[in-house]
Amino acid sequence: MMFFNYKYRYLFILLLALYTYINTELCQVYTYFQINIHWYYSFLIILLITFFTWEANRLLAKPFENLFPGNEKVIRRSIIFFFSGLVVSYLATIGTDLFFAEVVLHEKPESILNPLKLTLIYASLINLLFHLLNLVVVYQEKFKAKELEAEELKRMHAQAELMAIKQQINPHFLFNNLNVLSGLVMQQSADANNFIEAFSKVYMHILANHNKELIELKKELDFLEPYLFLLKQRFPESLQISVEVPNKYYNYYVVPVALQMLVENAIKHNVVSRKKPLSIKIYANGNSTLSVINNLQPRNETGPSSNIGLNNIQKRYILTAGKEITIEKKPDTFSVNLPLIEINTYESINN
């Protein structure tokens, strides 16, 4: 509710009171309602009512933000806030009119009936004006926040795309896979053609889906198949990967390349050898989440892990679907649970 804390609020109050007084004079309101009052008293009353209405709402703004936090309760908060401000402005108006009638003008309280009606109407209108302007500011800030989220999502998406591509085309990756391919060719193995085909499918998937925020789980699993084939050729008898996802989950959405990044993350941080094979399991656990779990056999790393990949996936899920991944580390296993996004939810996000 930053509107009521506007730094030039007192100048705004003065100009609004002056504007209102000029209009009452132009419309001859005091003559029409037979109100006999000096112009300076009239202007002062209008100014005080404007001031008290603004200040009352300014003081109420903070408690209402604490009672109704977040953007989800804007309408409810605004309605209750408006009526609370209206009640306080009425009390301030009545107090101001009575003070001027008895203390300044020395008139009987019953003589202020018409002026009181007019000032109460004025208090209602300016209270409504203030709250409408406040709503404009609130929704403008909300719109700016959404724009910032969209920009952050684009940045994270570009970062994820770059990370995925770098993981695939870095010299180490190319060297390892070209060594595997060279060995297959030298052995005149039939798997050489399959290896080349899988290699091309991995790149085609990344290029085809680089601009998407979410992707169907079926397409992500189709991409994962050639990727896992490359890994199994690279780590024969050292890597055991199983995928158990029923067809009923295929129409859900996930973040693109998330599964590949989790598999790569497991290989990066664990020993993979024939003596100590790495086991990775990908399965739907029945509560609208997809789990990737591996046995723990950590490498002897020189420094702490930066968790860039996991943080990246987490932020993309939060910005895209408003959901979070969960990470579970046990003595023998490490698992990451990815939320499965329903199609209608994803469509509503994009619409």
Side-chain angles (χ1 to χ4, degrees):
M1 308 235 184
M2 295 298 293
F3 169 74
F4 288 105
N5 290 318
Y6 179 56
K7 63 179 180 178
Y8 298 117
R9 58 184 179 274
Y10 297 125
L11 177 61
F12 177 76
I13 290 170
L14 177 63
L15 293 176
L16 179 60
L18 181 62
Y19 174 79
T20 303
Y21 171 74
I22 291 172
N23 278 277
T24 58
E25 288 292 342
L26 291 175
C27 296
Q28 297 184 330
V29 172
Y30 302 107
T31 303
Y32 182 81
F33 287 97
Q34 298 179 349
I35 299 173
N36 185 22
I37 188 173
H38 292 295
W39 71 268
Y40 44 85
Y41 284 143
S42 174
F43 173 69
L44 186 57
I45 290 171
I46 293 172
L47 179 62
L48 287 174
I49 292 173
T50 307
F51 173 78
F52 288 140
T53 301
W54 182 291
E55 287 299 298
N57 282 289
R58 186 175 70 86
L59 295 174
L60 288 171
K62 191 63 178 178
F64 271 90
E65 282 187 341
N66 295 333
L67 286 172
F68 303 98
N71 293 328
E72 296 79 12
K73 301 178 180 178
V74 171
I75 299 300
R76 186 193 308 177
R77 180 178 66 199
S78 299
I79 292 173
I80 300 176
F81 181 35
F82 166 76
F83 283 107
S84 299
L86 186 63
V87 170
V88 177
S89 66
Y90 277 174
L91 294 175
T93 299
I94 294 171
T96 302
D97 284 354
L98 288 174
F99 173 80
F100 269 86
E102 294 186 0
V103 178
V104 179
L105 303 176
H106 304 290
E107 295 183 2
K108 296 179 180 180
E110 55 268 20
S111 67
I112 67 165
L113 184 60
N114 279 341
L116 182 60
K117 289 179 181 178
L118 289 174
T119 50
L120 286 175
I121 291 172
Y122 173 66
S124 301
L125 292 175
I126 61 168
N127 187 68
L128 177 61
L129 172 66
F130 292 162
H131 281 268
L132 288 176
L133 292 174
N134 181 61
L135 271 179
V136 170
V137 172
V138 168
Y139 277 100
Q140 186 179 31
E141 290 176 351
K142 191 176 179 181
F143 178 74
K144 287 182 179 178
K146 289 293 183 183
E147 281 189 326
L148 290 175
E149 283 187 5
E151 289 300 320
E152 176 69 7
L153 178 59
K154 288 179 181 178
R155 188 185 68 80
M156 292 300 303
H157 188 67
Q159 183 181 350
E161 177 191 349
L162 178 61
M163 184 182 296
I165 294 175
K166 284 175 66 178
Q167 286 177 343
Q168 301 305 321
I169 62 174
N170 67 68
H172 184 67
F173 178 87
L174 288 174
F175 178 77
N176 286 332
N177 284 282
L178 288 176
N179 269 347
V180 174
L181 180 59
S182 176
L184 293 173
V185 172
M186 292 293 293
Q187 298 168 14
Q188 296 184 348
S189 171
D191 286 334
N193 288 333
N194 296 332
F195 189 91
I196 295 171
E197 185 179 352
F199 207 48
S200 64
K201 284 182 179 179
V202 169
Y203 284 99
M204 286 179 65
H205 176 85
I206 294 175
L207 294 174
N209 298 284
H210 73 281
N211 60 344
K212 293 183 179 180
E213 296 172 2
L214 294 174
I215 187 173
E216 297 93 335
L217 179 58
K218 177 66 167 63
K219 291 184 178 179
E220 187 73 355
L221 293 175
D222 288 343
F223 153 69
L224 197 62
E225 187 175 342
Y227 178 72
L228 296 182
F229 175 81
L230 295 180
L231 291 177
K232 289 179 180 178
Q233 294 297 319
R234 179 178 158 192
F235 300 104
E237 301 180 17
S238 301
L239 190 62
Q240 301 168 358
I241 302 179
S242 64
V243 180
E244 299 175 7
V245 181
N247 294 353
K248 64 180 181 179
Y249 294 103
Y250 282 1
N251 289 330
Y252 285 80
Y253 284 78
V254 293
V255 168
V257 200
L259 292 177
Q260 176 258 327
M261 291 176 69
L262 291 177
V263 172
E264 190 71 26
N265 191 67
I267 295 172
K268 177 182 177 182
H269 295 289
N270 290 277
V271 174
V272 185
S273 66
R274 292 187 180 183
K275 290 184 178 180
K276 299 183 70 175
L278 181 66
S279 176
I280 302 175
K281 183 180 179 181
I282 301 171
Y283 65 97
N285 56 26
N287 58 350
S288 296
T289 58
L290 193 69
S291 298
V292 180
I293 184 170
N294 63 271
N295 58 319
L296 267 180
Q297 39 196 40
R299 294 176 182 268
N300 293 324
E301 297 178 331
T302 57
S305 173
S306 61
N307 289 326
I308 293 176
L310 291 176
N311 290 335
N312 187 284
I313 296 173
Q314 178 77 284
K315 289 181 180 179
R316 289 164 66 201
Y317 260 104
I318 292 174
L319 292 171
T320 304
K323 296 188 177 183
E324 296 185 4
I325 68 173
T326 58
I327 301 170
E328 298 177 16
K329 187 174 183 180
K330 297 180 180 180
D332 299 323
T333 60
F334 182 86
S335 62
V336 179
N337 301 310
L338 302 177
L340 293 174
I341 313 302
E342 293 186 42
I343 294 178
N344 56 353
T345 303
Y346 177 54
E347 288 176 345
S348 66
I349 291 172
N350 285 278
N351 293 333

